[in-house]
């Protein structure tokens, strides 16, 4: 099996980014002076404790939140707002409830006015890839939580973004479904290599999926440590190497600065 995580060119670059929110009691700094790159076809996990600013950081990469200081670059160009080339998969999937699975997945291509035959082929390909064959005509309300997340992932992939930004997409799922989804996202990414930034506060999920983990500290968040994960894929959650890394990273996270 191909050993993933070869360092490619920089897709996203964060340079000295700081984020503060103002409130009635003054300025509240969430992120402090973060500098890192995300490389082409890398699966980067942003891992950190609750409320440390993971979603805020992901939204800054997406262009949904502005930097207070510093800059984010995508392919060398400053990020000044959201763009279709950076697709976001949210924790609670924002599907269009009035549209079928098929229409949700194909939506972005129709907006771009792609050729009908191409739309149909791509849509079916991604529906099949996420394991939803046969559910094309179902509406979101008829699907389980895991199935909705699958639609969200298919929709994001189908829009053919340069970068996929995922904010705890499996956070609301039960443990077993969550594991199944991690497994299938791992497979999808092996098939359809893409640059992914994936936020989680679950260490197993981080270790199962990542080429590299950036460990964030408590608020105001800084980069505490980076781990390059070279365990062969698909990964065993109980291999001695996996358990050793799990222990090491958990201890590092709980260690005060
Ligand atoms: N738009 C905003 N205005 C003011 N404060 C905000 C805003 N967005 C986030 N915050 C604050 O920034 C901090 C970090 O929030 P954020 O949602 O980024 O953390 P998180 O690591 O994603 O949390 P969780 O683990 O719960 O998902 C929190 O204290 C939150 O209240
Ligand atoms: Mg969050």
């Amino acid at each position: 099996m191909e050993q993933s995580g070869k360092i490619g060119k920089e897709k996203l670059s964060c340079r000295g980014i700081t984020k503060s929110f103002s409130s009635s009691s003054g300025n509240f700094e969430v992120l402090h002076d973060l500098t890192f790159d995300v490389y082409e076809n890398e699966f980067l996990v942003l891992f950190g404790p609750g409320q440390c600013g993971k979603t805020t950081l992901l939204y800054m990469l997406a262009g949904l939140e502005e930097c207070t200081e510093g800059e984010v670059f995508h392919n060398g160009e400053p990020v000044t707002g959201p763009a279709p080339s950076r697709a976001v998969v949210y924790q609670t999937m924002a599907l269009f409830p009035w549209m079928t699975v098929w229409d949700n997945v194909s939506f972005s291509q129709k907006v771009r006015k792609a050729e009908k035959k191409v739309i149909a082929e791509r849509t079916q390909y991604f529906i099949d890839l996420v394991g939803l064959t046969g559910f094309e005509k179902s509406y979101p309300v008829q699907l389980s939580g895991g199935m909705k997340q699958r639609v969200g992932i298919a929709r994001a992939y189908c829009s053919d973004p340069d970068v996929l930004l995922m904010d705890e997409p499996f956070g609301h799922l039960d443990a077993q479904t969550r594991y199944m989804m991690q497994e299938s996202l791992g497979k999808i990414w092996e098939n359809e290599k893409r640059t992914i930034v994936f936020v989680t506060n679950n260490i197993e999920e981080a270790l199962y999926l990542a080429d590299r983990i950036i460990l964030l500290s408590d608020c105001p968040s800084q980069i505490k440590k980076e781990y390059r994960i070279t365990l062969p894929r698909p990964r065993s959650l109980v291999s001695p190497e996996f358990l050793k890394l799990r222990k090491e990273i958990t201890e590092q996270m709980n260690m005060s600065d």
Side-chain angles (χ1 to χ4, degrees), residues 24-45:
S24 50
S25 51
N27 263 2
F28 169 57
E29 192 177 51
V30 179
L31 303 168
H32 181 77
D33 194 16
L34 301 180
T35 292
F36 62 94
D37 294 302
V38 188
Y39 299 97
E40 186 167 29
N41 294 338
E42 182 180 37
F43 201 122
L44 177 76
V45 170

Side-chain angles (χ1 to χ4, degrees), residues 13-204:
S13 301
C14 293
R15 290 290 170 268
I17 61 172
T18 290
K19 180 72 183 176
S20 302
F21 290 111
S22 47
S23 70
S24 50
S25 51
N27 263 2
F28 169 57
E29 192 177 51
V30 179
L31 303 168
H32 181 77
D33 194 16
L34 301 180
T35 292
F36 62 94
D37 294 302
V38 188
Y39 299 97
E40 186 167 29
N41 294 338
E42 182 180 37
F43 201 122
L44 177 76
V45 170
L46 298 173
F47 175 65
Q51 298 291 292
C52 75
K54 302 180 294 297
T55 297
T56 304
L57 177 54
L58 199 78
Y59 285 3
M60 288 164 82
L61 296 177
L64 294 165
E65 283 280 5
E66 281 180 11
C67 305
T68 308
E69 279 172 45
E71 240 178 324
V72 178
F73 298 89
H74 180 187
N75 291 330
E77 298 292 325
V79 169
T80 53
S85 57
R86 294 184 298 277
V88 183
V89 178
Y90 299 90
Q91 187 163 6
T92 312
M93 213 43 241
L95 301 176
F96 300 122
W98 63 90
M99 286 187 191
T100 61
V101 166
W102 179 276
D103 289 340
N104 265 287
V105 173
S106 60
F107 180 74
S108 63
Q109 297 183 88
K110 285 190 185 145
V111 170
R112 284 194 213 160
K113 299 195 168 37
E115 210 181 302
K116 261 193 179 157
K117 186 166 166 275
V118 175
I119 295 180
E121 279 171 9
R122 260 185 91 71
T123 303
Q124 193 65 58
Y125 173 77
F126 284 106
I127 288 176
D128 294 347
L129 193 67
V130 298
L132 285 178
T133 316
F135 291 91
E136 291 83 353
K137 292 189 177 136
S138 300
Y139 287 89
V141 71
Q142 298 171 301
L143 306 176
S144 69
M147 289 160 92
K148 282 185 208 154
Q149 292 307 85
R150 285 175 195 272
V151 178
I153 290 168
R155 187 174 68 177
Y157 259 107
C158 201
S159 70
D160 198 22
D162 193 40
V163 177
L164 273 160
L165 304 169
M166 302 192 178
D167 187 15
E168 301 205 51
F170 312 140
H172 282 164
L173 305 176
D174 62 84
Q176 200 182 346
T177 312
R178 185 171 188 156
Y179 178 62
M180 271 170 48
M181 292 299 295
Q182 289 161 9
E183 214 178 5
S184 57
L185 179 61
K187 281 188 197 145
I188 293 167
W189 178 77
E190 295 268 355
N191 276 334
E192 283 288 323
K193 277 284 161 67
R194 202 57 57 113
T195 309
I196 297 186
V197 183
F198 185 102
V199 161
T200 186
N201 61 10
N202 179 300
I203 182 60
E204 282 195 349

Side-chain angles (χ1 to χ4, degrees), residues 202-227:
N202 179 300
I203 182 60
E204 282 195 349
E205 186 163 275
L207 273 173
Y208 186 79
L209 292 168
D211 283 326
R212 187 161 55 105
I213 297 175
I214 291 186
L215 172 62
L216 298 167
S217 67
D218 278 324
C219 229
S221 244
Q222 289 178 286
I223 296 176
K224 214 170 182 183
K225 205 160 173 177
E226 284 191 32
Y227 297 86

